[in-house]
């Protein structure tokens, strides 16, 4: 019997197309996350320039942001972390660790995720190590994972830029900046940070 394109058949077409799209996106994400991290490389100078821009935005959106960063033993900044996927997704970005205002190492961050998700997003991440022990443990690890090696306390920032001071006594603080400003209703747990050469 010849197949007829009728409204009753649309779910089958939709399902087949989604399976194809899902397969292609999954392969792309696996390919991206399995590539050598330097394959997405920006130069050290390019990363540093982007870090400066991200920090300036941070200072403009967070009251007393300069003072909080001044108190940190180390500041890890990822200017551009890209997330993409459909059901299976992942994130990737490159950034720099600064101690006393100077870059000491470069890092990549990756995260894999499952569950419904569609499209692509971009965000910036600023992580502050408030204690020497937390910073030293991070620098000694070749593949440091949030939630396994230590937890990152995401800081809530009010509409006026004020900081939720209840978490400022934590060893590691995190700020996530989306395209529309600072975000806090998400987590960095599961993110992996790996030192890279530049």
């Amino acid at each position: 019997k010849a197949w007829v394109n009728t409204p009753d058949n649309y779910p089958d077409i939709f399902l087949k197309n989604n399976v194809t799209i899902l397969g292609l996106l999954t392969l792309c994400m696996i390919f991206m996350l399995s590539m050598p991290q330097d394959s997405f490389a920006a130069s050290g100078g390019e990363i540093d320039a982007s870090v400066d821009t991200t920090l300036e935005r941070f200072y403009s959106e967070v009251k007393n942001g300069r003072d909080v960063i001044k108190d940190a033993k180390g500041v890890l900044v990822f200017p551009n972390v890209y997330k993409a996927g459909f059901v299976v997704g992942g994130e990737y970005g490159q950034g720099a660790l600064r101690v006393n205002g100077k870059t000491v190492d470069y890092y990549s961050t990756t995260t894999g995720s499952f569950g419904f998700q569609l499209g692509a997003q971009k965000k910036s991440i600023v992580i502050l190590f408030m204690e020497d022990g937390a910073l030293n443990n991070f620098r000694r690890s070749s593949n440091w994972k949030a939630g396994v090696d230590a937890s990152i306390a995401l800081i809530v920032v009010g509409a006026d830029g004020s900081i939720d001071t209840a978490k400022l006594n934590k060893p590691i603080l995190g700020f996530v900046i989306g395209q529309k400003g600072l975000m806090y209703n998400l987590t960095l747990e599961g993110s992996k940070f790996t030192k890279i050469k530049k």
Side-chain angles (χ1 to χ4, degrees), residues 17-33 84-90 117-120:
N17 286 342
N18 276 349
V19 169
T20 301
I21 292 170
L22 173 60
L24 289 173
L25 288 174
T26 301
L27 287 174
C28 289
M29 193 55 58
I30 292 171
F31 175 75
M32 185 186 82
L33 294 176
F86 182 87
V87 181
V88 177
Q117 51 202 307
L118 182 64

Side-chain angles (χ1 to χ4, degrees), residues 2-3 23 33 39 92 94-95 107-108 111 116 127 130 136 151 156 180 184 194 197:
W3 185 83
L33 294 176
S39 298
Y92 184 83
Q94 293 186 341
Y107 285 83
S108 68
T111 306
F116 183 77
I127 298 172
M130 306 307 293
N136 293 337
S151 292
V156 176
K180 295 183 179 180
Y184 58 87
T194 306
K197 294 180 180 180

Side-chain angles (χ1 to χ4, degrees), residues 32-33 37-38 40 80-82 90-94 108-110:
M32 185 186 82
L33 294 176
Q37 291 159 347
D38 287 342
F40 299 92
N80 300 300
V81 178
Y82 296 95
E91 297 183 0
Y92 184 83
Q94 293 186 341
S108 68
T109 179
T110 56

Side-chain angles (χ1 to χ4, degrees), residues 15-196:
L15 178 61
K16 290 177 182 177
N17 286 342
N18 276 349
V19 169
T20 301
I21 292 170
L22 173 60
L24 289 173
L25 288 174
T26 301
L27 287 174
C28 289
M29 193 55 58
I30 292 171
F31 175 75
M32 185 186 82
L33 294 176
S34 64
M35 285 284 286
Q37 291 159 347
D38 287 342
S39 298
F40 299 92
S43 69
E46 290 170 332
I47 293 175
D48 286 330
S50 295
V51 167
D52 290 336
T53 300
T54 301
L55 288 176
E56 286 302 321
R57 184 182 179 192
F58 177 85
Y59 298 145
S60 70
E61 295 192 18
V62 179
K63 280 186 178 180
N64 302 319
R66 291 183 186 273
D67 293 333
V68 175
I69 284 186
K70 185 178 179 181
D71 290 339
K73 305 303 181 181
V75 181
L76 180 63
V77 182
F78 293 94
N80 300 300
V81 178
Y82 296 95
K83 177 179 180 178
F86 182 87
V87 181
V88 177
E91 297 183 0
Y92 184 83
Q94 293 186 341
L97 174 65
R98 292 186 173 180
V99 176
N100 296 322
K102 297 181 179 179
T103 296
V104 294
D105 288 305
Y106 295 99
Y107 285 83
S108 68
T109 179
T110 56
T111 306
S113 58
F114 294 89
F116 183 77
Q117 51 202 307
L118 182 64
Q121 301 173 358
K122 185 180 79 167
K123 63 188 176 185
S124 301
I125 299 173
V126 178
I127 298 172
L128 309 182
F129 297 91
M130 306 307 293
E131 299 177 358
D132 286 321
L135 175 62
N136 293 337
N137 288 338
F138 176 78
R139 298 189 69 185
R140 281 195 293 264
S141 176
S142 58
N143 287 292
W144 193 92
K145 192 171 184 179
V148 176
D149 295 293
S151 292
I152 300 173
L154 280 181
I155 303 301
V156 176
V157 179
D160 62 348
S162 59
I163 298 175
D164 176 10
T165 58
K167 292 184 178 179
L168 292 183
N169 61 343
K170 301 294 184 179
I172 307 174
L173 309 179
F175 298 82
V176 178
I177 307 173
Q179 292 174 310
K180 295 183 179 180
L182 281 149
M183 306 160 62
Y184 58 87
N185 58 337
L186 71 171
T187 180
L188 294 175
E189 301 293 278
S191 298
K192 186 172 73 171
F193 304 95
T194 306
K195 188 182 296 186
I196 56 178

